[in-house]
Amino acid sequence: MNFLAISGSLRAASHNSDLLRALARLAPAGLRIELYRGLGDLPLFNPDIEASDPPSVADLRARIMAADALLIASPEYVHGITGAMKNALDWMVGCEAFVLKPVALLNASPRAVHAQASLREIVTMMSALIVDEASVTVPILGAKLSEDQIVAHPEIAATLRAALAALVDAVTDSHAERR
């Protein structure tokens, strides 16, 4: 099984990216989690160039389509998701990449409630299947935990493993329903 993890932060020291990298390290055998690193390479969404299918956009779409599920973590800026995350999602609206795709929404800060609500609304409108049991908030920002510390933290690691198990179950269930 292959999951694609997308961080809405372009910062090198991003807590959301640390969270997603920690998830990849906590994944059980047989589950591969790839962290998408091209968010900052996407051009600004422009319907006039959408038909030309810019290479970075085509690459993101292909990765999303190939993934069994998505893990998305985005920081909150002025009560919303980051511009980089919104831009990436805007590029995906005109295709079916998110349609019936199981998605876990992860939150590295309990204070980031507006971004989570916004992200939930957007991906729901894109027809994704949000897996509530896999969508968790963990207090990484307040605790200032590094990727290594997240992996080593007993409670947080258990929460993240449970979230991954719920997402794997949702993917398995969706594959069974399609048969």
Side-chain angles (χ1 to χ4, degrees):
M1 209 173 278
N2 295 299
F3 292 176
L4 182 66
I6 304 172
S7 172
S9 179
L10 299 178
R11 291 181 61 227
S14 164
H15 295 293
N16 289 279
S17 298
D18 282 345
L19 173 60
L20 293 172
R21 283 191 298 270
L23 264 170
R25 291 173 54 187
L26 293 167
L31 173 59
R32 181 179 169 270
I33 298 176
E34 173 195 358
L35 182 61
Y36 176 68
R37 300 182 191 281
L39 200 67
D41 299 329
L42 298 171
L44 291 176
F45 177 72
N46 179 345
D48 290 340
I49 65 170
E50 190 172 15
S52 71
D53 206 19
S56 57
V57 174
D59 175 65
L60 175 58
R61 182 182 325 101
R63 289 171 191 260
I64 291 171
M65 301 268 302
D68 293 300
L70 302 175
L71 300 155
I72 302 175
S74 182
E76 182 170 305
Y77 292 133
V78 288
H79 283 190
I81 60 175
T82 66
M85 176 60 77
K86 179 68 167 84
N87 185 54
L89 295 172
D90 285 347
W91 277 111
M92 296 301 114
V93 169
C95 68
E96 296 185 0
F98 273 75
V99 175
L100 302 178
K101 181 75 64 178
V103 175
L105 302 177
L106 302 150
N107 189 351
S109 172
R111 298 184 318 229
V113 296
H114 301 288
Q116 282 300 98
S118 178
L119 194 53
R120 178 177 288 275
E121 176 69 18
I122 293 166
V123 298
T124 298
M125 289 302 300
M126 295 170 71
S127 300
L129 298 174
I130 296 174
V131 181
D132 289 323
E133 299 81 10
S135 298
V136 297
T137 297
V138 289
I140 292 169
L141 179 62
K144 298 182 178 171
L145 299 175
S146 69
E147 175 187 340
D148 289 336
Q149 291 169 322
I150 295 166
V151 171
H153 194 286
E155 292 91 19
I156 292 175
T159 297
L160 295 176
R161 283 188 182 104
L164 284 174
L167 193 55
V168 166
D169 288 347
V171 169
T172 302
D173 291 347
S174 72
H175 286 177
E177 288 175 13
R178 291 182 192 156
R179 289 185 200 143

